[in-house]
Amino acid sequence: MKNWLALLMILFLTSCSEVENTDTVVTNEVETDENESLESRAKRHVEASLTIPVNEKYSLKIYRANLDGDDREDAIITVNRYDFAIEEALKSNNTAKRAEVGYMGNYNYIFYYDGALNKISPPQVISSTPQAELTVKFDNITSQVYQDILIDYRIRNSSYKAIYSIRNHTPKRIFHWKNFDGLGTEQKEAYVLKFGEGTAGIQKDIYILKADFDNPESAEDLFTYSPDLRPTKEVLHHFFFVSSTDMYMTKK
């Protein structure tokens, strides 16, 4: 138990500055016509929630899946405000420094659309490098009835993967790990997640495999380049889902 608590503290300290999680239920929904498309609703909801001016260029993408086990299709909406990041940097007194650190800040967001409630959630910010948009995939990890959400994001020349599961109509992060780090340097490192049969319940176990990759050519943008990760057979860590904590843990 002491080891479990120590791991939880490490994961919290590592990630609290990177991802802001909330337990907020779906609220503040913009009034809509029931016949209005999700794309149109999402645009209005996002712009109202983030106070985006009409002349700002931003990216909005919708990824659809069954994420809570009912008979309605849900969705994850991602928003990237790279142009706004540049604008803020230009208005600051340290433009060069902001560019050096990849304009790191609160410019990537996710929203959850609940198909049964027909509502869109408030935003969750994923502090990251805005040159790279969030990437979203789905997989049956904690259940065979619904899918969980895997989100990759960048922090300068590193990449991280966060796994979310829907709790109380809100995406809750249940696991977090590094994809790679040290891109473009000799001190590079990489990892690949492998899912296996659950040993503590129906939820799949997670194995962290050591991986390798080739550095990009010098002309490549280290903040956006996505290397091909080659997993080895070396298993570094083994995590299993603990229902009492609603998170993944390990005995080590």
Side-chain angles (χ1 to χ4, degrees):
M1 179 61 70
K2 291 182 179 179
N3 290 332
W4 291 1
L5 293 174
L7 177 65
L8 277 173
M9 182 61 67
I10 291 171
L11 290 176
F12 173 77
L13 292 175
T14 301
S15 60
C16 64
S17 64
E18 297 165 356
V19 180
E20 177 181 321
N21 283 312
T22 70
D23 293 323
T24 309
V25 297
V26 179
T27 57
N28 301 327
E29 172 72 5
V30 177
E31 292 185 8
T32 87
D33 184 331
E34 63 179 10
N35 295 318
E36 186 179 15
S37 70
L38 178 57
E39 288 77 9
S40 177
R41 290 178 58 188
K43 184 176 185 297
R44 295 197 300 112
H45 183 87
V46 164
E47 291 178 356
S49 299
L50 301 179
T51 319
I52 297 177
V54 294
N55 61 339
E56 180 184 327
K57 294 182 179 179
Y58 66 95
S59 171
L60 185 154
K61 294 181 179 179
I62 299 176
Y63 302 83
R64 303 169 188 266
N66 187 327
L67 301 175
D68 56 12
D70 57 31
D71 60 351
R72 299 297 182 88
E73 185 178 62
D74 310 300
I76 293 295
I77 302 163
T78 64
V79 174
N80 175 275
R81 302 184 69 186
Y82 177 58
D83 284 8
F84 181 60
I86 300 297
E87 180 182 344
E88 282 203 326
L90 291 175
K91 292 179 179 179
S92 71
N93 295 324
N94 56 351
T95 304
K97 183 62 177 179
R98 288 201 179 189
E100 182 182 343
V101 299
Y103 305 104
M104 174 73 184
N106 297 336
Y107 305 110
N108 276 310
Y109 298 84
I110 62 171
F111 295 75
Y112 171 59
Y113 169 70
D114 189 307
L117 294 180
N118 196 28
K119 290 179 178 285
I120 303 175
S121 75
Q124 287 194 36
V125 61
I126 299 183
S127 297
S128 51
T129 302
Q131 287 95 323
E133 297 185 12
L134 304 176
T135 63
V136 178
K137 294 184 179 179
F138 302 110
D139 200 350
N140 294 98
I141 301 172
T142 64
S143 173
Q144 291 300 314
V145 178
Y146 56 84
Q147 293 187 298
D148 296 299
I149 310 140
L150 296 84
I151 298 180
D152 287 2
Y153 63 95
R154 297 293 294 268
I155 296 181
R156 302 185 66 190
N157 64 337
S158 63
S159 170
Y160 295 83
K161 186 183 302 295
I163 300 178
Y164 294 81
S165 195
I166 300 302
R167 301 288 188 268
N168 192 27
H169 311 290
T170 302
K172 176 187 177 181
R173 195 180 67 194
I174 59 175
F175 189 76
H176 176 256
W177 203 261
K178 186 182 294 183
N179 292 317
F180 62 82
D181 196 3
L183 184 67
T185 74
E186 294 300 320
Q187 290 73 44
K188 59 190 177 73
E189 57 182 282
Y191 310 93
V192 170
L193 274 62
K194 180 180 179 182
F195 301 101
E197 183 178 354
T199 58
I202 61 172
Q203 300 86 357
K204 292 180 180 178
D205 286 7
I206 301 176
Y207 298 87
I208 308 296
L209 277 61
K210 185 177 181 180
D212 195 13
F213 63 88
D214 296 323
N215 271 323
E217 299 295 332
S218 58
E220 295 281 0
D221 188 342
L222 298 181
F223 297 162
T224 58
Y225 179 79
S226 296
D228 180 26
L229 303 185
R230 302 185 298 273
T232 67
K233 295 182 179 180
E234 182 179 355
V235 178
L236 300 176
H237 304 282
H238 172 203
F239 292 86
F240 53 91
F241 191 81
V242 179
S243 298
S244 59
T245 64
D246 202 23
M247 291 183 67
Y248 274 91
M249 306 179 74
T250 182
K251 292 182 179 179
K252 295 183 180 180

